[in-house]
Amino acid sequence: MTRKIGILGAGAFGTALSISYSKDYQVSLYSGFEDHVKSMKETRRNEFFEEFQIPDNVNIDVVDNLEKNAFDYIFWGFPVKPSVEILNSLKNIINGSNIVICSKGLDNNGGFLFESFKKLLPDSKIGYLSGPNFAVELAEYKLSMADIALENSSDS
């Protein structure tokens, strides 16, 4: 059975993740903007990452259509600054999911997103993706390395 991955945030990095994972997984890429989704569906390109074509097997949709328990893993790729607000709107849908935070930087309060995720999604397993990886390299299927850190790895 093919695992399902939901990528929330259709910027360059989220799009690169969708391209990279589409060879081996069933992938859905979500944007917060309907016009962005429409454009990506029509052209199979992301205006923020135009040099790469989004594979036909990647489902593209608006985050408002996200369904509860639809994915084995969720990769969070929204920018850090609006993440807590977006997370608040999605918490009832994604609580209990396996989530990997891919957003880089500090939140509006100068803290890490992990704390907000842990508070708002108490039933989820939450990890952080870090490493020397870049959107272009992922989309080109180049060898890259990353770590996913968990608070308690015995739970995963």
Side-chain angles (χ1 to χ4, degrees), residues 24-146:
D24 299 314
Y25 300 93
Q26 186 177 335
V27 175
S28 293
L29 176 64
Y30 290 88
S31 172
F33 305 101
E34 287 186 33
D35 56 339
H36 189 212
V37 168
K38 183 180 178 192
S39 172
M40 287 190 295
K41 283 183 173 182
E42 288 174 359
T43 65
R44 302 309 292 184
R45 299 209 182 264
N46 185 331
E47 63 190 272
F48 305 113
F49 203 53
E50 289 183 337
E51 61 267 38
F52 294 96
Q53 185 170 349
I54 300 169
D56 290 336
N57 65 328
V58 172
N59 178 53
I60 303 169
D61 209 342
V62 289
V63 75
D64 292 343
N65 292 335
L66 189 65
E67 295 179 24
K68 188 161 183 73
N69 301 321
F71 301 103
D72 297 298
Y73 302 97
I74 292 175
F75 287 79
W76 186 272
F78 285 113
V80 172
K81 297 300 180 193
S83 279
V84 174
E85 182 180 337
I86 296 167
L87 181 59
N88 267 307
S89 71
L90 296 176
K91 66 184 176 188
N92 294 331
I93 297 169
I94 65 174
N95 188 30
S97 300
N98 297 312
I99 299 173
V100 178
I101 302 169
C102 302
S103 305
K104 310 256 189 284
L106 300 175
D107 67 19
N108 291 331
N109 298 319
F112 293 104
L113 280 181
F114 180 81
E115 294 303 321
S116 296
F117 273 73
K118 193 165 92 170
K119 178 181 173 187
L120 295 170
L121 307 175
D123 301 325
S124 291
K125 292 180 183 172
I126 303 165
Y128 245 117
L129 176 80
S130 65
N133 44 42
F134 299 97
V136 170
E137 293 173 348
L138 289 174
E140 292 176 340
Y141 302 102
K142 288 187 176 177
L143 182 62
S144 63
M145 296 183 63

